[in-house]
Coordinates of all heavy atoms in Angstrom, one line a residue:
V212 N 45.9 37.1 -22.1 CA 44.6 36.8 -22.7 C 43.5 37.6 -22.1 O 42.4 37.5 -22.6 CB 44.3 35.3 -22.6 CG1 45.3 34.5 -23.5 CG2 44.3 34.8 -21.2
T213 N 43.7 38.4 -21.1 CA 42.6 39.2 -20.5 C 42.7 40.6 -20.7 O 41.8 41.4 -20.4 CB 42.6 38.9 -19.0 OG1 43.8 39.3 -18.4 CG2 42.3 37.5 -18.6
V214 N 43.9 41.1 -21.3 CA 44.0 42.5 -21.5 C 44.1 42.7 -23.1 O 44.9 42.0 -23.8 CB 45.3 43.1 -20.8 CG1 45.5 44.6 -21.1 CG2 45.2 42.8 -19.4
K215 N 43.5 43.7 -23.6 CA 43.2 43.8 -25.0 C 44.5 43.9 -25.9 O 44.6 43.2 -26.9 CB 42.4 45.0 -25.3 CG 41.0 45.0 -24.7 CD 40.2 46.3 -25.0 CE 38.9 46.4 -24.2 NZ 39.1 46.7 -22.8
D216 N 45.4 44.7 -25.5 CA 46.6 44.8 -26.4 C 47.5 43.5 -26.4 O 48.0 43.1 -27.4 CB 47.4 46.0 -26.0 CG 48.0 45.9 -24.6 OD1 47.3 45.4 -23.7 OD2 49.1 46.4 -24.3
L217 N 47.6 42.9 -25.2 CA 48.4 41.7 -25.2 C 47.6 40.5 -25.8 O 48.3 39.6 -26.3 CB 48.8 41.4 -23.7 CG 49.6 42.4 -23.0 CD1 49.9 42.0 -21.6 CD2 50.9 42.7 -23.8
L218 N 46.3 40.5 -25.7 CA 45.5 39.5 -26.3 C 45.8 39.5 -27.9 O 45.9 38.5 -28.5 CB 44.0 39.7 -26.0 CG 43.1 38.7 -26.8 CD1 43.3 37.3 -26.5 CD2 41.6 39.1 -26.5
A219 N 45.8 40.7 -28.4 CA 46.1 40.8 -29.9 C 47.4 40.3 -30.3 O 47.5 39.5 -31.2 CB 46.0 42.3 -30.3
V220 N 48.4 40.5 -29.5 CA 49.8 40.0 -29.7 C 49.7 38.5 -29.6 O 50.3 37.7 -30.5 CB 50.8 40.6 -28.8 CG1 52.2 39.9 -29.0 CG2 50.9 42.1 -29.0
T221 N 49.1 38.0 -28.6 CA 49.0 36.5 -28.4 C 48.2 35.9 -29.5 O 48.6 34.8 -30.0 CB 48.4 36.2 -27.0 OG1 49.1 36.9 -25.9 CG2 48.4 34.7 -26.7
G222 N 47.1 36.5 -29.9 CA 46.3 35.9 -30.9 C 47.0 35.8 -32.3 O 46.7 34.9 -33.0
R223 N 47.8 36.8 -32.6 CA 48.5 36.8 -33.9 C 49.3 35.5 -34.1 O 49.6 35.1 -35.2 CB 49.4 38.0 -34.0 CG 48.7 39.3 -34.2 CD 49.7 40.4 -34.1 NE 49.1 41.7 -33.9 CZ 49.7 42.8 -33.4 NH1 50.9 42.7 -33.0 NH2 49.0 43.9 -33.3
R224 N 49.8 35.0 -33.0 CA 50.7 33.8 -33.1 C 50.1 32.6 -33.6 O 50.7 31.7 -34.1 CB 51.3 33.5 -31.7 CG 52.1 34.6 -31.0 CD 52.4 34.3 -29.6 NE 53.3 35.3 -29.0 CZ 53.5 35.3 -27.6 NH1 52.9 34.5 -26.9 NH2 54.3 36.2 -27.2
S225 N 48.7 32.5 -33.6 CA 48.0 31.3 -33.9 C 48.0 31.1 -35.5 O 47.9 30.0 -35.9 CB 46.6 31.3 -33.4 OG 45.8 32.4 -34.0
E226 N 48.1 32.2 -36.2 CA 48.1 32.1 -37.7 C 49.1 33.2 -38.3 O 48.6 34.1 -38.9 CB 46.7 32.3 -38.2 CG 45.8 31.1 -37.9 CD 44.4 31.3 -38.6 OE1 44.4 31.1 -39.8 OE2 43.4 31.5 -37.9
L227 N 50.3 33.0 -38.1 CA 51.3 34.0 -38.5 C 51.4 34.1 -40.0 O 51.7 35.2 -40.5 CB 52.7 33.6 -38.0 CG 52.9 33.7 -36.4 CD1 54.2 33.1 -36.1 CD2 52.8 35.1 -36.0
D228 N 51.0 33.1 -40.7 CA 51.2 33.1 -42.2 C 50.0 33.5 -43.0 O 50.0 33.6 -44.2 CB 51.7 31.8 -42.7 CG 53.1 31.4 -42.1 OD1 53.9 32.3 -41.8 OD2 53.3 30.2 -41.9
R229 N 48.8 33.7 -42.3 CA 47.6 34.0 -43.0 C 47.6 35.4 -43.5 O 47.6 36.3 -42.7 CB 46.4 33.7 -42.2 CG 45.1 33.8 -42.9 CD 43.9 33.6 -42.0 NE 43.5 34.8 -41.3 CZ 42.6 35.7 -41.8 NH1 42.0 35.6 -43.0 NH2 42.4 36.8 -41.1
Q230 N 47.5 35.6 -44.8 CA 47.3 37.0 -45.4 C 46.4 36.9 -46.5 O 46.5 36.0 -47.4 CB 48.7 37.5 -45.8 CG 49.5 38.1 -44.7 CD 50.7 38.8 -45.2 OE1 51.8 38.3 -45.2 NE2 50.6 40.0 -45.6
N231 N 45.5 37.8 -46.6 CA 44.6 37.9 -47.8 C 45.0 39.2 -48.6 O 44.8 40.3 -48.1 CB 43.1 38.0 -47.3 CG 42.1 37.9 -48.4 OD1 42.3 38.5 -49.5 ND2 41.1 37.1 -48.2
E232 N 45.5 39.0 -49.8 CA 46.0 40.1 -50.6 C 44.8 41.0 -51.0 O 45.0 42.2 -51.4 CB 46.8 39.6 -51.8 CG 48.1 38.9 -51.4 CD 49.0 39.8 -50.6 OE1 49.0 41.0 -50.9 OE2 49.7 39.3 -49.7
D233 N 43.6 40.4 -51.1 CA 42.5 41.2 -51.6 C 41.9 42.1 -50.5 O 41.6 43.3 -50.7 CB 41.4 40.3 -52.1 CG 41.8 39.6 -53.4 OD1 42.6 40.1 -54.2 OD2 41.4 38.4 -53.5
T234 N 41.8 41.6 -49.3 CA 41.2 42.4 -48.2 C 42.2 43.0 -47.3 O 41.9 43.7 -46.4 CB 40.2 41.5 -47.4 OG1 41.0 40.4 -46.8 CG2 39.2 40.8 -48.3
L235 N 43.5 42.6 -47.4 CA 44.6 42.9 -46.6 C 44.5 42.4 -45.2 O 45.2 42.8 -44.3 CB 44.7 44.5 -46.5 CG 45.1 45.2 -47.8 CD1 45.3 46.7 -47.6 CD2 46.3 44.6 -48.5
E236 N 43.5 41.5 -44.9 CA 43.4 40.9 -43.6 C 44.6 39.9 -43.4 O 45.1 39.3 -44.3 CB 42.1 40.1 -43.5 CG 40.9 41.0 -43.5 CD 39.6 40.2 -43.5 OE1 39.7 39.0 -43.9 OE2 38.5 40.8 -43.2
Y237 N 45.0 39.9 -42.1 CA 46.1 38.9 -41.7 C 45.8 38.5 -40.3 O 45.1 39.1 -39.6 CB 47.5 39.6 -41.9 CG 47.7 40.8 -40.9 CD1 48.2 40.6 -39.6 CD2 47.5 42.1 -41.3 CE1 48.4 41.6 -38.8 CE2 47.7 43.1 -40.5 CZ 48.1 42.9 -39.2 OH 48.3 44.0 -38.3
G238 N 46.5 37.4 -39.9 CA 46.4 36.9 -38.6 C 45.2 36.0 -38.5 O 44.6 35.6 -39.5
P239 N 44.8 35.6 -37.3 CA 43.7 34.6 -37.2 C 42.4 35.2 -37.6 O 42.1 36.4 -37.5 CB 43.7 34.3 -35.6 CG 44.3 35.5 -35.0 CD 45.4 35.9 -36.0

């Protein structure tokens, strides 16, 4: 949670199923 690349991987786990087909955003 303190290093940028690993924080991104850790953060993705919180909303694995979120995807916006219009904006292509995904994750938390």
Side-chain angles (χ1 to χ4, degrees):
V212 292
T213 61
V214 182
K215 300 178 186 72
D216 61 326
L217 299 182
L218 173 62
V220 175
T221 304
R223 289 173 195 154
R224 297 170 175 169
S225 64
E226 292 186 67
L227 290 174
D228 299 327
R229 189 184 81 91
Q230 280 188 262
N231 187 318
E232 294 299 328
D233 295 327
T234 65
L235 297 185
E236 294 175 340
Y237 65 86

